[in-house]
Amino acid sequence: MTSQPAAMAQILSLALTAFIMMIAAVSFPFLTLDAGGLHNATSVIDAVLAFNDGFAFPLAVAVAFFIIVIPLIRLSALIYALGPLVREQKPRQGARQAFALAERLRPWSMAEIFIVGVTVALIKVAGLAVVTIGPAFWAFTGVVVITVLKDQLICRYSIWEALDKATA
């Protein structure tokens, strides 16, 4: 294990990129279905709201948290914790807690599972309807790829060490 001075800046850049792409994934159309003369465009928010009725409401809340809220909180916490360190400044108050939160939320951030599930569903539906993939699908896919890259680059030990050194 060797120290890579640019790694923290790369991690911060990837986290910022994933955050922006996640906002785009939630804001734009995810996909459009055309079947039998019916046309339906949907977004990630529409996918969450599809479970909004009656007994499925807890599922809507869970879907919203696992694919939107938790990934955004995790990315925000990472950006908050690493921002000053990249600029070689003293960490913000609560930076250690923010990084700890990002680490605790890592297993619960399920954007990857969502995109795999959607891809499988699209393959199944493709024979029954014309499916047009929207910009949000590609943004979400980008978030997944960037998150995987970021998680491969991150050296948790170095970040904890930098946070400890800067606060001492």
Side-chain angles (χ1 to χ4, degrees):
M1 184 190 296
T2 61
S3 177
Q4 297 181 5
M8 214 167 306
Q10 292 170 340
I11 294 165
L12 180 62
S13 298
L14 290 171
L16 283 165
T17 303
F19 186 89
I20 292 166
M21 290 181 82
M22 182 63 112
I23 298 300
V26 173
S27 303
F28 292 106
F30 194 79
L31 58 89
T32 305
L33 291 172
D34 288 308
L38 297 174
H39 176 80
N40 188 15
T42 189
S43 68
V44 174
I45 298 297
D46 292 334
V48 170
L49 294 177
F51 301 110
N52 202 20
D53 296 330
F55 293 117
F57 181 73
L59 183 59
V61 172
V63 169
F65 268 89
F66 290 131
I67 66 170
I68 300 170
V69 176
I70 290 175
L72 283 173
I73 290 172
R74 184 170 178 242
L75 290 167
S76 298
L78 198 57
I79 292 165
Y80 181 84
L82 296 183
L85 295 178
V86 169
R87 294 186 312 264
E88 297 180 5
Q89 296 175 346
K90 184 178 177 187
R92 292 182 180 103
Q93 185 174 349
R96 287 184 53 78
Q97 292 84 353
F99 186 67
L101 175 65
E103 287 298 294
R104 278 194 310 272
L105 291 178
R106 186 166 40 117
W108 299 103
S109 181
M110 306 235 177
E112 307 86 24
I113 306 303
F114 176 72
I115 206 71
V116 168
V118 167
T119 304
V120 169
L122 288 176
I123 291 169
K124 296 286 187 183
V125 171
L128 304 172
V130 176
V131 178
T132 307
I133 296 172
F137 178 86
W138 298 115
F140 224 96
T141 303
V143 167
V144 169
V145 170
I146 289 169
T147 300
V148 169
L149 289 173
K150 177 186 62 61
D151 287 346
Q152 291 299 312
L153 247 176
I154 200 166
C155 175
R156 288 152 185 84
Y157 176 78
S158 296
I159 293 172
W160 283 119
E161 190 175 87
L163 287 169
D164 286 341
K165 211 182 326 180
T167 56

